[in-house]
Structure formats: structure tokens, C-alpha cells
């Protein structure tokens, strides 16, 4: 999720289409060194669009950096808590912070592998959601990430998808 040199050229091209600036190698080098490292092409282009829709000033890297942060903040505030938590769990699994085969806080579940139990997947409508832990599609049973064998019951994060909003009110 970082800007490549080609992405920066695309961003500067978008800028020059509005303010008619001439873009050279030194401009690209300067923007590459001053744009935030965690920006992606689409976010930077969105920041350029917003800047020129709301300001008559010539855009600079600081404008893109600040607008990108505002866009992210706005998106995060609008994202449902359940979606945010699922995205964070997927991120954690992807980066090895949580093992993909982890269940119940990392403890293995004895006898969990086998023919799926329909009632277990009906809890909180788990069967209607993609599993954020093992990646099972909607209406498919969860699988053991190590052996590939179906699980009798869904992974814990999948069970909690619809339960999460209710847990907040129970506190």
C-alpha cells in the first residue's frame, strides 16, 4: 500500500491537468520523498480531486498528505464496528499476529474436525458470513487451516460477527 514512482507520476499528471504545471524528474523525486509512505495511488488521487474541488491553490505534497489523513479518518468513522474488527482480524492473521488455525485464544479444539453440525452454523447466522479466520465462503463450512478438513463448528470470529453488536448492549 505504498506509492510507486509511477503512481507519483500519475498523481502529478492529475495535478498538471488542472493547474497546467510542467512536471519533470526533480518534481517526481521531490514528491516521492515528501508524500507519506502509507498512501496508495487511489487515496492520493482522491486527495488531489478533493483539493481542486475545494481550493483554488496549487496543490503541494502537504495538501495530499493532510487530505489523505482526513479521508481515512472519515472512512473509519463511517465503517461499522463489526467490519472494522473483521478487517483487523484478517490483517492480524495475514501478518502472523494471530495464527490462521488459532481457535479460542490459540487453544486447539479437540474433536472439532468432522462433518459440519448445521445447528452450530445457525448460531448468529454464522453460515451467512465469510469466515475471517479460515476464509470459508458464505454457506460453506469452516476448515482446519492445517489439515484442510471441515470443522463441525464455525471458527469463533465467524460466530461473533452478528453477536458483536448485541455484546455492546449487554455491558
Amino acid at each position: 500500500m505504498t506509492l510507486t514512482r509511477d503512481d507519483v507520476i500519475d498523481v502529478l499528471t492529475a495535478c498538471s491537468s488542472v493547474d497546467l504545471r510542467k512536471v519533470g524528474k526533480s518534481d517526481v523525486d521531490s514528491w516521492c520523498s515528501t508524500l507519506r509512505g502509507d498512501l496508495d495511488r487511489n487515496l492520493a488521487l482522491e486527495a488531489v480531486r478533493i483539493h481542486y474541488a475545494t481550493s483554488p491553490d496549487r496543490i503541494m505534497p502537504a495538501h495530499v498528505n493532510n487530505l489523505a489523513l482526513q479521508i481515512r479518518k472519515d472512512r473509519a468513522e463511517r465503517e461499522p464496528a463489526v467490519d472494522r474488527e473483521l478487517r483487523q482480524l484478517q490483517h492480524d492473521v495475514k501478518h502472523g499476529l494471530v495464527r490462521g488455525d488459532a481457535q479460542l485464544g490459540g487453544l486447539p479444539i479437540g474433536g472439532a474436525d468432522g462433518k459440519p453440525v448445521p445447528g452450530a452454523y445457525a448460531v448468529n447466522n454464522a453460515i451467512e458470513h465469510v469466515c475471517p479466520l479460515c476464509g470459508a465462503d458464505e454457506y460453506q463450512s469452516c476448515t482446519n487451516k492445517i489439515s484442510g478438513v471441515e470443522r463441525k463448528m464455525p471458527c469463533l470470529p465467524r460466530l461473533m460477527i452478528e453477536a458483536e453488536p448485541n455484546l455492546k448492549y449487554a455491558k
Side-chain angles (χ1 to χ4, degrees):
M1 188 172 99
T2 59
L3 287 170
T4 66
R5 186 172 182 79
D6 288 341
D7 294 336
V8 173
I9 291 170
D10 290 345
V11 169
L12 282 167
T13 300
C15 296
S16 69
S17 71
V18 176
D19 64 22
L20 306 176
R21 71 179 70 196
K22 299 235 185 253
V23 178
K25 182 185 180 309
S26 62
D27 298 304
V28 175
D29 292 341
S30 176
W31 279 62
C32 281
S33 67
T34 54
L35 286 175
R36 294 177 54 94
D38 60 345
L39 296 183
D40 63 25
R41 180 181 182 276
N42 292 337
L43 186 58
L45 289 172
E46 179 69 7
V48 169
R49 186 193 67 74
I50 290 172
H51 176 80
Y52 281 120
T54 59
S55 173
D57 299 332
R58 188 174 197 201
I59 195 167
M60 300 299 286
H63 295 121
V64 175
N65 289 336
N66 291 335
L67 282 168
L69 289 177
Q70 290 175 8
I71 293 166
R72 279 194 186 142
K73 182 179 177 187
D74 183 56
R75 288 177 183 169
E77 288 172 354
R78 294 172 189 260
E79 182 178 33
V82 172
D83 292 347
R84 184 174 48 255
E85 290 168 13
L86 287 175
R87 184 174 40 79
Q88 183 62 47
L89 179 61
Q90 291 168 336
H91 176 271
D92 291 349
V93 170
K94 177 181 176 184
H95 294 286
L97 301 174
V98 175
R99 286 186 37 201
D101 62 330
Q103 298 273 340
L104 298 178
L107 298 173
I109 301 173
D113 293 350
K115 183 177 178 185
V117 176
Y121 285 86
V123 174
N124 292 330
N125 299 316
I127 197 69
E128 295 178 8
H129 302 283
V130 173
C131 181
L133 195 59
C134 73
D137 288 331
E138 298 167 345
Y139 302 101
Q140 301 295 317
S141 60
C142 289
T143 57
N144 181 322
K145 295 282 281 186
I146 295 173
S147 66
V149 175
E150 289 183 308
R151 293 223 186 245
K152 293 178 184 175
M153 59 186 267
C155 298
L156 185 59
R158 190 177 189 183
L159 279 171
M160 294 181 67
I161 291 173
E162 287 197 14
E164 199 61 37
N166 296 332
L167 292 176
K168 292 177 185 170
Y169 296 112
K171 291 181 181 177

